[in-house]
Structure formats: C-alpha cells, structure tokens
Amino acid sequence: MTSLHTTRVRRRRLGVAAAAAAGLFATLLAAGPAVATPDPGDKPAKEETSKSQQAEAREAIENNDIPGIDEIIHSDNMSHVANVPKEHLKGTNSDIAFQGKYAFSGNYDGFRIFDISKPSQPKTVAQVLCPGGQNDISVSGDLLFLSTDSSRSDNSCSSVSQPATEKSSWEGMKIFDISDKRNPEYVAAVETACGSHTNTLVPDGKNVYVYVSSYSPSAAFPDCQPPHDGISIIKVPRNAPEKSAVVDFPILFPDGGNPGAPTNPGVSATTGCHDITVLPSKDVAAGACMGDGILFDIKNPEQPRVIDRVQDNVNFAFWHSATFNQRANKVVFTDELGGGGAATCNEEIGPKRGADGIYDIEGKGDSRKLKFKSYFKIDRPQADAEVCVAHNGSLIPVKGKDIMVQAWYQGGISVWDFTDSSKPKEIGYFERGPVTLDQVTTAGPWSAYYYNGYIYSNDIAKGLDVIRLDDRRTDEAKRVKMDELNVQTQPDYFEDFRN
C-alpha cells in the first residue's frame, strides 16, 4: 500500500482563519493586470494576517507541522517532473486545455502555448498578450476560445479596462485560429450578456456550440441587466468562425434560483452560472450555478433542458464547478467558499464547508434526480495566510473506479477516490508551502488535470507544473491517450482514446 506521509509534515489542525488583431503578439515585453468579475468567485486576496497568526504559522513550520515557505511536499506516489515559471504574462494563471502534444494555459493577461511532447521538458511555443480576465480557455480543432469577463474598451487585444456602466464597454468570447501554434490568429469576437466568466464547448459536426457562463448583473450595467437567469449559447461554424453568433439565451431558473441572504444566509444568490460541464456521449450536463446545482439534458445543444436542481443551504456558499464520473451516475460539485480569496482549510471552517459535494444520479431520462451522498475536503492543515479552496479537477480514467485529481489553490493538488460515494478518500497529494506569512495570498494550483499519463497544474503564481502519479490504483490510466481534452467537455475515455 502506498504511504501518503513520507514527507516530514505531520497532520495538525491550525487555528482561526483570516477573515481585433491589434496588440496580438507571439512574443511580448510585459502585460498589465486585467480585472475580473470581483464578486463572488476567483477574486484575489489582500487581507493581512495578525501577528499571532504569523507566529502560529512560524511555529508550525519549525515543528514540521506544515511545509515552509515555497517548500514542496508530496505523497510518495507523486513526483514533481517539471515547472515552467511565468515569463511575459504576469497576471493570474487560470485554466488549461490540451490538444495532441500541446497544452494551452490561460492567464488574465492572455494565453500561453506549451509543447509537452516531453513532459519533463515543456517548451513555450507562443505567448499571446490579450488582457481580459479570467481568460478561461478551450480548444477544438483549429479554434481556441478565450473568455473575457473584464469590462473592456473594445474587443481588441489592445483594449483597456473600462467601467461596465458605459454602454460601449465590451465583454464576451474571443476566438483564435491555432492552426499555426507559433502564430495564433485572432479571428472573431462575440459579445455576451455579462461577459464570459467560463466557457464550455459542445462539438456538433461542422459547428461548435459554446455555453457561456456569467453572472452578477446590475441595473447600472447596460449590457448585464438582471435577472440574468440563464446562459448564452454561441454557435460557431468551424469553417467560418467570423460568422459566430449568440443563437439563444435559455432561462435555466424561471423562478429566479436560490435567493441567497437573508433567506439563506451565507449562500450566493443565483444570478447565472459559474461553470458548466458537459458529457456529450451521454447527452447530459451539470451546471454549478452560484446558489444552485443543476442537471440538464443537452441532446439538442441549442435547447438544453433542466432535469433536476439541488441546493445546499447549510454547507455550500458558491457552487463553482462540476465533474461527472464516467458512467454519468455521479457528479461532484465544488464549493468555492470565500470566493477564492480566503483561507478556508482549517479547523474553524471544518470538513463540510468549502468542500466537494458528491451526488449520485438516480433514475432515468427526465426522471433523473441528484441525491446527496457525502462531502470530501482535504484534511492537510494550511496556514492562515494560505488561500485554500476547492477548485478545478478532472477524472483519472480508470475502468470501474471513480478517481479524480483536483486543485485546491494553496491546499495543493489532491488525488482522491469517490468510487464509494459515501466514503471518499484521498490517495495522493502535492503542495507547496505558504507564499508568505504576513498576508492572505491567492496562489497555488487553479487547475489540476490528468492528460496522457501526467498531471498538469496551472499554478496561479508559480507557473506550469508537471506531476507524475505512480500508483497501482491508477496506473492503467497511463494507457489512455487523448487527442484533445477540454475538461469541461468530458470525453468518453474508453471510446474516444487511441492506444
């Protein structure tokens, strides 16, 4: 049996937490920060820690209870293969997509393309300056999709920040031609209501549908008016992306969704979705929508139909993302407690708040229901200065097992097994110690995904990490070779791969 604790770190609970091609370059000099939708979800932390919290963290480091500043620790079934620091794009690293021998790394200032044909030696192929946080990223064929959820002066890559209260401001979807990986070409832009916080692709022959998730409308925003109870659907002709357009805005919450406080204190009111994961082989999707989790049918990709909806008004604050198991009889929802800007992995918060929620999907067809089974949260202690939150992860393709890898910001990377929905357990981990002790800092893995035998992590501050997992429980996944992977467009790993 693999030991999880060959490092020097012991388990110890810490105390209370601290509360348009213009401008497009493959090589660039520098990039200024872009501002993303600030409330709630994925917002940077700036809160100072108290002297007592700093002293407690220093004592924990001296006692080998937590790793030191920037120190790497991991279970003995995981090994650090490579790290590629940030270069020209200095903003927050965000999501990752994959195609063949390439990884595409989102950044609030643009995106970066890596050649990962040798996972131990990733090489930068291109860096594209195109500010527009959070630049959530997906790829399909020769097209790359980049979400802009930052109010901009126009849709070009040389735009500047501009208040959302101005009618001329722009937010939405940008589309690039990546047939030449060294020279991506900006080919189309589509404005969407309230921008595009995340995007999810639904390939459909000659077209690609893009489900655009966005939220936080305001009567003061001309292009983001309440109630905003749905998602934008963009139809993209593969051979003519310049003709891309919004074809529908289906209402997912005709009753307005979760009202939030004061009815449900501590819960985000639903004003749209944060992220959607589709499983095209099963014609099903799961939406993480602020105060609600939904299951819907996507047999007709232009007309998704909600099948079931659940809330957790006790322990969930912000439904952030979703992951199906391969049989589509389970879904894992994550809770982004603290909006990605707070230290939430500690004794005071506990094991249920800020956790993953595991739901079984019972029944068939339109009678399917989401049934809560259990919570999963990492139990490794984190300092009060470390933003720790459940974030993006993917399945590890093992037949007959439900195993996934997941990012937890400064909580690191967790590999965990939810084959038994009621008794999930961690089977591996990788993490760095605090970036600093004097301020609550947003850092650590934004995304951690399994692709063609390795785990790739986009660390918010440290760049791209490549990690190898060697464990008899997951080794068979190394035989699964994908040609393309957008984690929010889950493949059927056992039909869509080539040996």
Side-chain angles (χ1 to χ4, degrees), residues 35-57:
V35 180
T37 300
D39 182 31
D42 308 320
K43 57 185 178 182
K46 296 182 179 179
E47 184 177 349
E48 292 185 357
T49 55
S50 69
K51 296 297 184 183
S52 62
Q53 290 169 332
Q54 294 174 36
E56 182 182 13

Side-chain angles (χ1 to χ4, degrees), residues 238-262:
R238 291 185 184 276
N239 295 328
E242 68 279 2
K243 296 181 180 179
S244 301
V246 175
V247 293
D248 202 359
F249 186 87
I251 302 301
L252 303 179
F253 304 98
D255 65 350
N258 197 318

